[in-house]
Amino acid sequence: MLERIKTVVIILLTLSLFLLLFVSFSLSTASYPLKPSDMVFELFGRAGKDGANDDDGDTRSASAFPCQIAVSNENGVYMPQNPSQYDEAYQFVSLYVEEAVGSASDLNECGADEYKEALKRGGILFVYDRPLPFGLFYAWYNGGVFDGDLSLISLYVCDGGDRVNLYLRDPDGRFFRFSTESGADALRSVCGAFTPNGVFTFDMPGAVSDRYSPLPKTAAAAPSFLLLPPAYERGAELSRDILEDFSINFYLISVYNDENSVVYVEGQNTLRLYDDGRMVYTGGFLADESLASREKPSVSDILSAVYPRISSLWQKTSSGGSVLSLASAEKEPDGRTVFTFDACIGGCTVEREYAACTVVTDGSQIIGLSLYPLRFAFYESVNFLPYAQASAAAAPGSFLRLQYVPDGSGFLIPRMRCVEGGAK
């Protein structure tokens, strides 16, 4: 009798667990902005998001290379239209883009017609604000060295039959195709789960903007924000953990006021905190211990070491919801490398007078760093100029991008901006 009672209890507990899981997935699916087609995709996506939270996933996040995202299938194109949709979309598609870039081989130049036909077959398209070197992407995702000088303004992962093809478009309007080791079945499944809300420009007669960029068919709204004073203005005491991120020993610092800044000094390290919250560091500390043993670390190696450090600083001094995004990476004649980063909200660049962050490295050491934190609070959702209307006013050879612009009254407002494909 006792054994039967135990069996019944176990069965009831098991059924209750499945019921709770069913309710949880049903609720998340009902509220999910991308409208996945079934619960299997919800389970798959949840695993993808969990996997993106590990250390390696955080380092290789979309914030490093912000882009316009479009997911196409036989029914049309899906484009995120607010920051939360952008973040959700990236979590689902990023693994396929990384896998395709990481296994890219057999580079061939192709024509615009082939690229256009590939766009119709369905896939994942990333369009960037500025040209970026493909070698940086390749090393970032693969760890290898790309043999060639190729930059890109858009990157497209698409159905190539059994395998996925990777297409690049460069700032000069040329198109390139890579073969990959990535299977196409999973890509088709993911792309088919998105509900289209737009079309490609070449399907819209009369559009004069970049004809290879997608356009939603309807107007949309995005959040605007109220800009807040910096968390650490002049006279505020920097926290110990922030000083530690700059490798400044809290117990050995001396602090004094300069004309327009508070100065923290410890040994060869100097950190200035300006009235507007900007932090400027000079000195020298290791970006990452693993770089110390490398005689000539690559730009990608240095970026992989620098990015987590500056992201930590950004998160401690800026509002949640904003991230740092790579704007440029340049090797100087003296061997130093200079990285600049923009502030980014949901893949949309924030245009400001100063770069959000500038980092100067010498080998494995960070010798200079300027950080301009951004703090804001949600204000209200506002309508922005519809893509179709904005495209009619755009200059030929350019594409449209949703970006955040300070309006001079203390607000960040979403605006459709015209970005030249070849402009740096």
Side-chain angles (χ1 to χ4, degrees):
M1 184 65 180
L2 183 60
E3 292 298 324
R4 289 182 179 179
I5 293 175
K6 288 182 178 179
T7 302
V8 171
V9 171
I10 292 173
I11 293 174
L12 289 174
L13 289 173
T14 303
L15 291 174
S16 299
L17 178 60
F18 278 108
L19 179 61
L20 287 172
L21 287 172
F22 178 81
V23 171
S24 172
F25 292 139
S26 298
L27 289 174
S28 63
T29 302
S31 62
Y32 195 68
L34 302 183
K35 303 176 183 177
S37 58
D38 52 43
M39 192 175 296
V40 174
F41 186 70
E42 168 66 17
L43 283 167
F44 179 80
R46 188 180 296 272
K49 284 192 284 186
D50 291 342
N53 289 328
D54 58 23
D55 292 338
D56 192 47
D58 287 340
T59 301
R60 297 178 179 180
S61 69
S63 55
F65 307 107
C67 55
Q68 176 178 293
I69 296 177
V71 183
S72 61
N73 54 47
E74 60 184 7
N75 298 316
V77 178
Y78 173 83
M79 290 187 66
Q81 292 189 305
N82 60 54
S84 63
Q85 288 181 353
Y86 181 93
D87 293 338
E88 293 283 2
Y90 179 80
Q91 293 294 344
F92 279 105
V93 303
S94 61
L95 295 178
Y96 300 94
V97 175
E98 292 181 12
E99 183 177 329
V101 173
S103 63
S105 60
D106 299 327
L107 172 65
N108 289 284
E109 188 168 354
C110 62
D113 289 341
E114 178 180 337
Y115 184 78
K116 181 176 177 179
E117 288 301 314
L119 288 175
K120 293 179 180 179
R121 290 200 297 269
I124 302 164
L125 176 68
F126 286 177
V127 182
Y128 298 90
D129 279 358
R130 58 183 63 84
L132 292 168
F134 178 70
L136 188 59
F137 285 76
Y138 189 77
W140 189 261
Y141 294 135
N142 185 17
V145 178
F146 176 71
D147 185 17
D149 183 16
L150 179 62
S151 61
L152 60 92
I153 198 68
S154 66
L155 184 153
Y156 182 54
V157 176
C158 74
D159 183 357
D162 293 335
R163 298 290 178 181
V164 164
N165 285 335
L166 174 67
Y167 285 88
L168 306 183
R169 182 165 54 115
D170 77 358
D172 298 323
R174 296 181 302 168
F175 302 89
F176 300 87
R177 181 187 66 253
F178 287 93
S179 300
T180 78
E181 297 300 318
S182 182
D185 289 341
L187 177 69
R188 284 192 288 266
S189 176
V190 169
C191 292
F194 286 81
T195 301
N197 64 354
V199 297
F200 283 103
T201 310
F202 54 68
D203 290 329
M204 299 183 68
V208 296
S209 65
D210 175 9
R211 61 195 304 249
Y212 301 104
S213 295
L215 300 173
K217 291 178 287 188
T218 58
S224 65
F225 302 96
L226 173 65
L227 291 171
L228 303 176
Y232 295 95
E233 296 180 277
R234 184 176 182 182
E237 183 178 349
L238 288 174
S239 62
R240 186 177 305 179
D241 59 339
I242 290 178
L243 293 172
E244 288 176 352
D245 279 343
F246 284 104
S247 286
I248 293 178
N249 191 320
F250 176 80
Y251 299 102
L252 300 178
I253 59 172
S254 60
V255 184
Y256 63 90
N257 289 316
D258 201 355
E259 288 184 2
N260 58 352
S261 63
V262 177
V263 184
Y264 296 77
V265 179
E266 185 265 310
Q268 299 299 314
N269 300 317
T270 300
L271 176 63
R272 292 179 177 271
L273 177 61
Y274 289 87
D275 293 342
D276 59 0
R278 193 158 41 103
M279 302 176 188
V280 177
Y281 166 86
T282 55
F285 64 92
L286 280 175
D288 188 281
E289 294 289 345
S290 63
L291 289 182
S293 59
R294 304 186 187 184
E295 183 177 350
K296 293 183 178 180
S298 68
V299 172
S300 180
D301 289 336
I302 299 172
L303 177 61
S304 296
V306 166
Y307 192 74
R309 299 293 294 266
I310 63 169
S311 292
S312 173
L313 275 167
W314 184 260
Q315 291 164 12
K316 293 171 183 176
T317 57
S318 299
S319 293
S322 66
V323 293
L324 289 177
S325 59
L326 182 68
S328 65
E330 298 182 3
K331 275 278 192 181
E332 299 292 327
D334 60 4
R336 297 180 179 183
T337 305
V338 180
F339 298 98
T340 58
F341 298 85
D342 292 326
C344 194
I345 301 173
C348 302
T349 301
V350 179
E351 292 193 353
R352 295 193 295 172
E353 180 182 358
Y354 298 102
C357 183
T358 302
V359 182
V360 182
T361 66
D362 187 0
S364 60
Q365 284 202 324
I366 294 175
I367 60 174
L369 191 154
S370 174
L371 190 75
Y372 191 11
L374 174 67
R375 295 185 68 241
F376 56 83
F378 172 78
Y379 182 64
E380 63 180 5
S381 292
V382 298
N383 293 323
F384 52 82
L385 190 65
Y387 280 77
Q389 184 178 350
S391 70
S398 61
F399 62 90
L400 296 168
R401 202 64 168 83
L402 181 64
Q403 297 180 343
Y404 279 97
V405 182
D407 70 347
S409 300
F411 293 93
L412 279 177
I413 308 295
R415 291 281 186 266
M416 290 305 306
R417 303 302 297 273
C418 179
V419 180
E420 294 182 7
K424 294 187 179 181

